[in-house]
Amino acid sequence: MTFYQELQLNQIGSKAVIRGAETKKEKIRHTCIYFVKIAITMLFCMGFVMGFSAIFGDDNSIAGVVLLLFLMVFKNADFGIGMKDSLGVMGIIFAVLIVMPRLANSFDPITGMFINMGCIFLLAFLSCHNLLMFNQSTVVLGYLLLYGYDASGKTFALRSIGLLLGAAATILVFYRGHKKRTYKRNIKDLFSEFNIHSSRTQWQIALALGVSSIMCVVELLDLPRSMWAGIAAMSVMLPFEKDSKVRTKGRIPGNIIGGIVFLILYIILPPSFLSYAGIIGGIGVGLSATYGWQSLFNSFGAMAVATSLIGLEGAIFFRIFHNICGSLYGQVFYKLFSKSLRRFSSDKDGLTVV
């Protein structure tokens, strides 16, 4: 394996190569390449988001993060349909990301919930046809981040321009990465394969209903950072029960420990720590191969931003509280929703339901 090929591996792949080294010299070499990869990735991510913020404003740094996710993920991921239709889907996704989070925030929580439901379902339906791709971790997450970090006025105008340019860049990267692939499916097949009795369609509907409803509940209770609960629910609402349990078991302890570690660092380090918390978290995520550790370090940047808005105690408490509630709610909601649909299907077919 060449140096460049090792740089393309994810955390799990890199650590597998390190463990599989036959000699101490090889192990040191693979470990150094792993750290080089993390350093390059962090420098690129920091430079990209800082550059985006410098052009479109600090309040739009989250849009830079969303765009960065799209560029990095869709270099390799696809939608499982032909190129022409895929590019159309990408255009629809960015149209939703630009307009709909702002629109949903313009209404009361109930109306906003229905807007979020429609948008999340549309995004999941168009981009998550191949469940193994886990595209919701990018597309729906991007929507929730933009919803949670709302913008208006001049900031929204600059955000829209930035995302439009980002859409063009993502389409170019997507085309370059997938132009040689051929798919028999097109966008019409997505509609023809829509079936309320299929696990995929049930998951797409449940995802939209579950994520939107938990955020609505948080907002009706007048609690801050509703998108934290939505993201937590989304992360565990997976079509594969085993994966869902793993995510729940990793996310809840990860955020609890993350809150404790963040508090300790806040106490022992100077106030400037908040400016670098996201970087520290990013490095930690880069070194993490399990979801629990990733959840721990992912919480740093989120709590650092929230500290300036709702205070240290509020940031830590609601980060933990929303992730516990969102994770449990998402798992329970999906189980009950799936069970209800199975009962409905059985009743409709005239079968006896036990």
Side-chain angles (χ1 to χ4, degrees):
M1 187 178 295
T2 65
F3 177 82
Y4 179 77
Q5 288 173 330
E6 280 199 49
L7 290 178
Q8 306 306 307
L9 297 175
N10 58 20
Q11 294 97 322
I12 297 175
S14 294
K15 290 189 175 182
V17 171
I18 294 172
R19 287 194 301 269
E22 297 180 356
T23 65
K24 185 176 181 180
K25 183 177 180 180
E26 286 183 358
K27 190 169 186 176
I28 293 174
R29 176 180 178 275
H30 294 315
T31 301
C32 290
I33 293 175
Y34 179 44
F35 283 111
V36 168
K37 179 187 69 175
I38 293 173
I40 292 174
T41 302
M42 284 301 304
L43 288 172
F44 173 76
C45 292
M46 288 172 54
F48 184 93
V49 175
M50 290 173 64
F52 190 93
S53 301
I55 297 172
F56 300 103
D58 290 337
D59 291 337
N60 280 324
S61 61
I62 196 64
V65 172
V66 171
L67 179 55
L68 177 63
L69 286 173
F70 270 71
L71 290 170
M72 295 181 70
V73 169
F74 286 110
K75 174 186 176 183
N76 300 310
D78 59 58
F79 301 127
I81 56 178
M83 178 58 70
K84 182 180 179 181
D85 289 339
S86 291
L87 297 182
V89 166
M90 190 68 77
I92 293 172
I93 289 172
F94 270 96
V96 171
L97 294 181
I98 292 170
V99 177
M100 302 311 291
R102 173 83 283 269
L103 182 64
N105 274 297
S106 301
F107 292 93
D108 61 275
I110 300 294
T111 306
M113 178 184 69
F114 286 109
I115 294 174
N116 288 332
M117 281 182 185
C119 292
I120 292 173
F121 174 76
L122 178 63
L123 294 174
F125 176 74
L126 292 176
S127 66
C128 304
H129 195 70
N130 184 351
L131 301 181
L132 297 178
M133 283 290 184
F134 287 95
N135 284 341
Q136 75 276 8
S137 296
T138 302
V139 179
V140 178
L141 175 62
Y143 178 88
L144 295 177
L145 288 173
L146 293 171
Y147 176 80
Y149 293 89
D150 189 29
S152 59
K154 183 180 178 180
T155 301
F156 174 69
L158 289 172
R159 176 175 294 189
S160 300
I161 295 171
L163 288 174
L164 280 172
L165 295 173
T170 304
I171 286 173
L172 288 174
V173 169
F174 185 92
Y175 179 78
R176 184 175 181 274
H178 306 286
K179 61 183 178 180
K180 294 181 180 180
R181 297 184 182 181
T182 303
Y183 293 96
K184 295 181 179 180
R185 277 197 180 99
N186 56 39
I187 196 168
K188 291 182 180 179
D189 293 314
L190 304 188
F191 290 91
S192 65
E193 294 177 16
F194 178 88
N195 186 341
I196 193 65
H197 303 300
S198 76
S199 59
R200 176 173 54 216
T201 299
Q202 290 177 6
W203 168 73
Q204 291 168 343
I205 296 174
L207 182 70
L209 296 178
V211 172
S212 302
S213 58
I214 186 61
M215 290 197 301
C216 179
V217 170
V218 172
E219 291 166 7
L220 288 173
L221 293 174
D222 200 26
L223 301 178
R225 320 307 285 174
S226 66
M227 91 283 194
W228 282 350
I231 293 171
M234 179 208 73
S235 70
V236 303
M237 292 185 72
L238 302 174
F240 311 109
E241 185 176 356
K242 183 179 179 181
D243 292 336
S244 179
K245 290 181 179 179
V246 170
R247 287 288 185 94
T248 303
K249 291 179 180 179
R251 190 172 190 89
I252 292 177
N255 276 275
I256 293 174
I257 298 173
I260 296 172
V261 174
F262 182 84
L263 176 61
I264 295 173
L265 293 176
Y266 184 89
I267 293 173
I268 64 176
L269 296 177
S272 59
F273 156 71
L274 291 178
S275 301
Y276 302 100
I279 298 174
I280 296 172
I283 294 172
V285 171
L287 293 170
S288 303
T290 62
Y291 188 73
W293 283 103
Q294 291 171 359
S295 296
L296 188 159
F297 289 111
N298 262 328
S299 66
F300 283 12
M303 286 188 287
V305 174
T307 296
S308 62
L309 300 174
I310 58 177
L312 175 66
E313 296 84 357
I316 295 175
F317 173 78
F318 284 112
R319 178 70 186 185
I320 295 173
F321 179 77
H322 286 339
N323 271 275
I324 293 175
C325 293
S327 298
L328 296 177
Y329 178 88
Q331 196 171 46
V332 172
F333 183 93
Y334 186 51
K335 286 184 178 180
L336 294 177
F337 182 81
S338 299
K339 184 177 180 180
S340 298
L341 282 182
R342 286 196 297 269
R343 175 183 288 270
F344 170 77
S345 299
S346 298
D347 288 343
K348 188 175 180 181
D349 294 336
L351 301 177
T352 301
V353 180
V354 178

